[in-house]
Amino acid sequence: MAALPIPALHASHGGCWLRDADSTRTVSKGGAVMAAADTPLLILNAPLVATRLGYPDLSGLDLLELFAFVHPARFVVPTPKGLAHALDLPEPGADAEVPQLLQQAAGALLETCESEEWLEREGAWTALQSLVRMRWPWATLLTGRIAKPQRAERWLFSRLPEWEESPDHPQPRQVFLDKDAVLHRLEDLTGSGAEQRPGQRAYAADATYAFEPREKSGNPRLLLAQAGTGIGKTLGYLAPASLWSNEAGGTVWVSTYTKALQRQLRQESRRAWPERRSDGSRPVVVRKGRENYLCLLNLEDALQGGFAGRAAILAQLVARWAAYSRDGDMIGGDLPGWLGTLFRQRGITSLTDRRGECVYAGCPHYRKCFIERASRASAGADLVIANHALVMVNAARGRDVAARPTRIVFDEGHHVFDAADSTFAAALSGTETIELRRWVIGPEKASRGRRRGLSARLADIVSYDEAGSKAITAARAAAEALPGDSWMQRIVEGAPWGPLEELLAAVRATVYARDESGGQEAGYGLETEAAGLDGAFIEIAQAAREALADLRQPLIRLGVRLEALLEDPPDWLDGTGRARLEGARHSLSWRIDTLAGWEALLERLGGPADPEYVDWLAVDRSEAREYDIGIHRRWLDPMKPFAKVVLEPAHGVIMTSATLRDGDDWGKAIARSGAEHIGVMPHLTAQDSPFDYAAQAEVLIVTDVPRGDIPSLAAAYARLIEASGGGALGLFTAIRRLRAVHGRIADRLARAGLPLYAQHVDPIDTGTLVDIFRDDPAASLLGTDALRDGVDVPGHSLRLVVMEQVPWPRPSILHRARRLAGGGGSYDDTIIRARLAQAFGRLIRSKDDHGHFVVLSSAFPSRLLSAFPEGTPIRRISLEEALQRVAAHASGESDHEGENARPLF
Ligand code: SF4
């Protein structure tokens, strides 16, 4: 394989390296920028290199783009090492060797295109012709290497398979599972050679409870199952679940919060079910919200001129991927998470169906649509792997009532509350209202995209049905009252237009008037209670409410009309039109509900507060830029609507997690399950972790890093990471502190061969950051909340967790209300202990894991220590002592490398 003789550039926090001719040399950042401006260089991950160089306009021949073209839908960690692994090339030993690797990798990828063995050849020639016209930097290098096929290649949209209609499924049989049979099934799943795990057996036996016939309508069999880390709960519940689906012929939904667990479930379910049944259908299906999947109509539009410049190149690469994708899932599926960030635009999201614009059977790609395929596949599946938000949305407004889940396992059950909180929230904001306006009217300016208003989507109604047409015209006129393009600018300039913009302007003025942060919160979101509002505000709010009601009325009339047309179809309504009307009716009723929620919210302002809800006004800002203004409403207890919508119709539900209850106390876990709202007393079970925490982990509470002192905090992080030789996960409660610490230590660590990555700093999506971290034992990762339990990295790559301080809840208006209702300080303590337990849970993922959990806080209250598993040694010590312990662990590990049991503590 010949390396590609084009100059290559690599930049890390440790410096820059340029290879031209046959030698590699270090260059300054300025030198690197000059070289890149002179000639297109080979680079890996242009946005990341651009950030390192402080030169946002960097462009060149990005190896990741070439990889996405040559091997669409194939996984690669977007680092030099990851690229080397994916292409079977020698791993670079140091930064200086990376440019040469880039040349070799380019050579290998180009050579693949000439090879007979190239698996992803189909479609490449046709895509390349478009990419040549778009002047994609790689196009000239590929031309001549990809042979023109003998026969014209089929277009993507004709190559994708069609889904098939399946008959309605009968309801599941009522069966009683024999516990011995469940334990046998568990043995089958774990393998006969596997060690017997008593905790897992007890867990599987208890989980059977949820799969037995329900005794009373509206009363599901609800099990709360605390499962200590490492008991093997996934197979523990899959054993009764698979047996039940087999015997009853029904579908079990397993709902997760993180993608890491979805991935794990996909793997573990292979032990219980084959990839395909004898009829070719899949017994296990991963199901996500529709906004995750590629919409083929949007893609077609993008390919045919809807996207311009770099975005058009992205569309071509996405089309390459779509032909090879397992399921069309763009967010966390087999589309590389890094692809979107290479193109610095919201290209990926605009290719999904985010705005409910789907025209269903009216779409030419309906029979090949990934979303329709996924929803049909789940109806006949034995196991559906989904996430909390989807299960709740599906239960609340799923199109097909018969396909709603009735046997549900909520894994990562400690997140159900938060997921319910977001699902049942209402927000009357600028971004929400402008979306609605566009849905009704269509885009304001001449748009390149296919976005259309209601009248274009329901063109046949407009032409043939007078009553429907009148309702659409009235809705269109009423929607003019909603905020339009540049609404934020008009509000900031004091010139709002229309009743809704006036309302948002009043909200903004009130929020700023009441800001008590004294500039402390500059650049971050601001909020104030929706209480004590003056008469002028209430008047503006009522005018806005009337405007919303004026829009809701014609939408209701249109809905009624669609209903009538579907019941008694006129001649002009063919099968396709009928399916389109059904789709429209569904999205219409969702909008009508949203409008009614907004009206109720406005109606309440000025009146007595409703104790069920917490309402507040907010201005959302990021990096000092305002991006939304609105009025928010949350349920004080979101488990109330959850219980009604999800629990009550279900027959069996398991909520399970390693951190469900607080210590030994079940009280709060029961309250947080929603059970009491439907008068159900849940069954309870708890299995302790089999890990030997006394020997595997140590909690170090560092008492001499002064609070609020960023230089000391940064120094502590750097020294701890150096002491452990990387492998550290740093958790922050505020983005600004994370950035400040990262800025101070990244270069220093890079020079020591310890790469440091960070959420909110590196232009890389969180999933990819975790992949990079997992792949490199010397790397460390800094992040905020999302990483606290989104990281599943067993083994050596994660051996140190550092928390900058006690993770106090953010003192928001919503938190204050719930704290008051939930017992004050003890409410906070429960939240903090749960957060600590989740963060600690990142450290020890298997019986061979060892590590330190460090909290840089002198004021760590003793009452929070019960967050850590019993037996874990806890020491309050100085930073120097902590460094010694971490360093001793690191050197102990290298002494014991390769051994399983390492007596470190
Ligand atoms: S059916 Fe809907 S989501 Fe699917 S491709 Fe067509 S418009 Fe997109």
Side-chain angles (χ1 to χ4, degrees):
M1 181 267 307
L4 186 69
I6 287 183
L9 173 69
H10 170 60
S12 77
H13 281 293
C16 304
W17 291 264
L18 182 65
R19 182 175 176 86
D20 41 18
D22 280 340
S23 65
T24 304
R25 59 194 162 89
T26 56
V27 284
S28 65
K29 283 187 185 177
V33 169
M34 298 250 291
D38 260 6
T39 174
L41 302 176
L42 294 176
I43 42 180
L44 182 70
N45 196 345
L48 186 66
V49 176
T51 311
R52 302 275 195 258
L53 296 178
Y55 178 57
D57 294 331
L58 179 80
S59 63
L61 291 154
D62 194 331
L63 266 297
L64 290 180
E65 289 180 28
L66 180 62
F67 191 94
F69 177 85
V70 178
H71 295 307
R74 212 184 275 191
F75 180 77
V76 60
V77 178
T79 57
K81 190 178 150 197
L83 187 66
H85 286 183
L87 297 175
D88 226 359
L89 294 170
E91 209 180 278
D95 277 329
E97 294 170 24
V98 172
Q100 190 175 7
L101 168 80
L102 300 187
Q103 293 180 331
Q104 291 167 339
L109 285 166
L110 293 176
E111 213 170 276
T112 301
C113 299
E114 295 175 280
S115 154
E116 289 292 310
E117 322 272 278
W118 185 21
L119 294 173
E120 298 99 340
R121 173 180 296 280
E122 185 167 21
W125 189 84
T126 312
L128 181 60
Q129 306 319 301
S130 302
L131 287 163
V132 168
R133 284 195 296 280
M134 289 163 193
R135 298 173 198 274
W136 184 42
W138 286 105
T140 38
L141 288 159
L142 285 163
T143 302
R145 294 180 198 256
I146 299 181
K148 183 174 180 182
Q150 311 235 311
R151 268 185 291 143
E153 290 178 314
R154 284 179 301 153
W155 203 35
L156 164 71
F157 302 102
S158 48
R159 264 165 43 216
L160 289 172
E162 295 198 341
W163 47 259
E164 301 198 342
E165 270 314 344
S166 53
D168 285 347
H169 292 270
Q171 64 176 42
R173 281 183 294 280
Q174 299 297 318
V175 295
F176 286 89
L177 298 184
D178 176 47
K179 286 216 172 133
D180 286 338
V182 169
L183 294 178
H184 271 121
R185 171 59 62 108
L186 180 64
E187 278 165 29
D188 288 346
L189 299 186
T190 52
S192 53
E195 59 185 309
Q196 286 263 339
R197 296 205 263 184
Q200 190 181 39
R201 287 173 65 81
Y203 181 93
D206 287 345
T208 307
Y209 172 80
F211 295 96
E212 284 174 0
R214 187 171 72 169
E215 280 139 14
K216 197 169 151 208
S217 169
N219 277 19
R221 294 176 75 84
L222 176 61
L223 175 74
L224 305 187
Q226 167 92 7
T229 312
I231 73 142
K233 70 171 164 1
T234 312
L235 291 180
Y237 59 69
L238 285 182
S242 57
L243 201 61
W244 178 82
S245 80
N246 193 15
E247 292 187 8
T251 305
V252 177
W253 286 59
V254 178
S255 178
T256 76
Y257 191 72
T258 63
K259 295 194 180 101
L261 183 59
Q262 286 210 342
R263 217 172 347 199
Q264 186 194 331
L265 264 163
R266 201 193 264 271
Q267 275 163 12
E268 303 233 5
S269 65
R270 293 203 183 112
R271 301 185 192 208
W273 287 277
E275 180 74 17
R276 298 210 179 249
R277 300 189 184 107
S278 53
D279 63 359
S281 62
R282 290 180 192 270
V284 178
V285 171
V286 175
R287 178 87 193 275
K288 297 192 174 175
R290 40 190 313 127
E291 68 284 357
N292 286 275
Y293 295 93
L294 173 67
C295 164
L296 292 170
L297 195 56
N298 281 348
L299 177 63
E300 182 184 8
D301 189 59
L303 292 172
Q304 295 186 337
F307 278 16
R310 291 270 298 155
I313 294 170
L314 172 65
Q316 290 292 336
L317 295 179
V318 169
R320 284 278 291 144
W321 160 80
Y324 295 92
S325 170
R326 185 179 50 223
D327 55 7
D329 175 4
M330 302 187 88
I331 322 279
D334 54 12
L335 182 80
W338 41 259
L339 189 63
T341 53
L342 296 184
F343 288 85
R344 291 181 215 164
Q345 279 201 18
R346 296 208 182 136
I348 297 291
T349 41
S350 55
L351 290 173
T352 59
D353 177 46
R354 280 206 155 251
R355 310 175 194 105
E357 288 193 307
C358 176
V359 288
Y360 300 95
C363 167
H365 310 302
Y366 183 60
R367 292 302 304 267
K368 293 161 188 279
C369 173
F370 288 117
I371 304 171
E372 294 299 320
R373 179 192 311 283
S375 93
R376 269 166 190 77
S378 68
D382 293 347
L383 178 73
V384 178
I385 302 169
N387 59 40
H388 295 350
L390 177 73
V391 170
M392 292 179 203
V393 169
N394 217 34
R397 48 171 195 255
R399 265 194 294 160
D400 181 1
V401 179
R404 288 184 188 171
T406 57
R407 279 27 176 224
I408 315 168
V409 180
F410 286 102
D411 201 336
E412 299 180 310
H414 55 281
H415 277 300
V416 170
F417 185 93
D418 290 338
D421 197 21
S422 327
T423 304
F424 300 105
L428 168 53
S429 72
T431 50
E432 295 284 332
T433 44
I434 195 170
E435 261 317 310
L436 181 62
R437 177 199 176 100
R438 289 178 182 149
W439 184 80
V440 176
I441 302 181
E444 278 162 65
K445 297 193 189 112
S447 154
R448 299 172 71 97
R450 71 169 183 92
R451 304 197 59 189
R452 305 279 179 269
L454 255 187
S455 50
R457 287 200 301 275
L458 293 174
D460 35 10
I461 300 273
V462 174
S463 320
Y464 299 115
D465 186 79
E466 200 187 335
S469 172
K470 273 191 183 157
I472 292 174
T473 309
R476 218 184 163 289
E480 297 281 357
L482 299 176
D485 282 356
S486 312
W487 63 273
M488 179 66 94
Q489 194 184 339
R490 281 194 295 279
I491 288 173
V492 171
E493 288 169 358
W497 187 92
L500 267 298
E501 285 188 16
E502 272 167 28
L503 173 69
L504 299 176
V507 167
R508 182 174 182 269
T510 308
V511 170
Y512 276 106
R514 293 176 174 189
D515 176 23
E516 301 249 9
S517 72
Q520 279 265 322
E521 289 301 318
Y524 294 87
L526 293 176
E527 56 181 36
T528 188
E529 288 102 329
L533 300 164
D534 62 20
F537 189 106
I538 303 302
E539 256 179 51
I540 292 174
Q542 291 321 315
R545 186 184 62 76
E546 281 162 24
L548 295 175
D550 287 347
L551 172 58
R552 187 162 57 96
Q553 292 314 321
L555 293 182
I556 292 175
R557 287 202 299 278
L558 178 60
V560 171
R561 197 61 211 132
L562 296 187
E563 201 80 52
L565 291 171
L566 285 166
E567 255 171 44
D568 185 11
D571 300 343
W572 52 265
L573 191 63
D574 57 10
T576 313
R578 190 183 162 82
R580 192 167 54 239
L581 295 203
E582 262 166 13
R585 184 180 56 165
H586 177 71
S587 38
L588 201 56
S589 66
W590 166 25
R591 261 71 184 199
I592 291 168
D593 288 351
T594 304
L595 278 165
W598 289 347
E599 287 171 48
L601 183 56
L602 293 177
E603 180 134 41
R604 277 261 162 214
L605 295 178
D610 186 334
E612 296 263 45
Y613 302 108
V614 184
D615 298 341
W616 71 95
L617 319 180
V619 175
D620 294 329
R621 301 187 295 185
S622 164
E623 321 245 329
R625 196 180 65 83
E626 294 179 17
Y627 64 87
D628 205 2
I629 301 170
I631 308 176
H632 298 260
R633 161 166 284 188
R634 294 285 172 103
W635 284 82
L636 184 64
D637 181 3
M639 298 314 284
K640 195 167 183 181
F642 170 86
K644 263 272 160 279
V645 169
V646 181
L647 289 184
E648 203 172 77
H651 287 243
V653 175
I654 299 176
M655 289 189 192
T656 186
S657 160
T659 55
L660 209 54
R661 59 179 189 185
D662 185 13
D664 286 336
D665 178 14
W666 275 109
K668 292 211 167 69
I670 295 172
R672 281 202 155 212
S673 71
E676 63 190 20
H677 298 300
I678 50 166
V680 167
M681 186 56 210
H683 251 57
L684 308 173
T685 174
Q687 310 302 329
D688 288 337
S689 167
F691 296 155
D692 181 1
Y693 287 106
Q696 290 181 259
E698 199 171 54
V699 174
L700 305 178
I701 297 167
V702 172
T703 52
D704 57 354
V705 175
R707 194 186 157 134
D709 180 346
I710 293 286
S712 301
L713 183 67
Y717 263 98
R719 295 182 69 198
L720 283 162
I721 292 171
E722 282 163 354
S724 77
L729 176 66
L731 296 173
F732 287 77
T733 48
I735 296 174
R736 64 195 132 163
R737 281 198 297 278
L738 181 157
R739 287 190 173 137
V741 167
H742 179 271
R744 281 169 186 265
I745 66 175
D747 290 3
R748 160 180 168 180
L749 291 171
R751 284 193 292 275
L754 300 171
L756 181 67
Y757 295 90
Q759 250 191 329
H760 310 289
V761 176
D762 292 313
I764 302 177
D765 65 290
T766 305
T768 305
L769 280 174
V770 175
D771 288 337
I772 293 173
F773 176 56
R774 182 185 292 113
D775 197 48
D776 184 356
S780 296
L781 177 59
L782 306 183
T784 50
D785 263 10
L787 287 186
R788 202 177 48 232
D789 55 355
V791 178
D792 189 13
V793 180
H796 192 53
S797 284
L798 174 48
R799 49 199 182 273
L800 173 67
V801 174
V802 185
M803 287 195 107
E804 54 147 350
Q805 62 174 32
V806 177
W808 305 106
R810 209 167 69 81
S812 62
I813 288 168
L814 179 62
H815 171 256
R816 191 170 60 201
R818 288 191 179 144
R819 186 177 192 271
L820 203 66
S826 77
Y827 176 79
D828 280 357
D829 288 353
T830 305
I831 293 179
I832 300 167
R833 277 194 291 266
R835 289 179 179 178
L836 287 168
Q838 286 150 22
F840 180 86
R842 302 307 96 212
L843 193 60
I844 309 298
R845 308 300 297 161
S846 77
K847 68 178 179 26
D848 300 330
D849 275 0
H850 292 80
H852 280 101
F853 186 88
V854 178
V855 188
L856 300 172
S857 166
S858 52
F860 190 103
S862 301
R863 64 179 189 280
L864 301 178
L865 295 177
S866 59
F868 303 111
E870 220 177 303
T872 313
I874 299 170
R875 298 177 209 284
R876 286 180 191 269
I877 51 179
S878 67
L879 179 62
E880 285 306 325
E881 289 169 286
L883 289 167
Q884 281 169 18
R885 300 195 76 84
V886 171
H889 175 195
S891 61
E893 288 217 337
S894 50
D895 290 350
H896 292 81
E897 219 155 27
E899 289 180 24
N900 278 342
R902 291 167 293 201
L904 291 169
F905 303 117

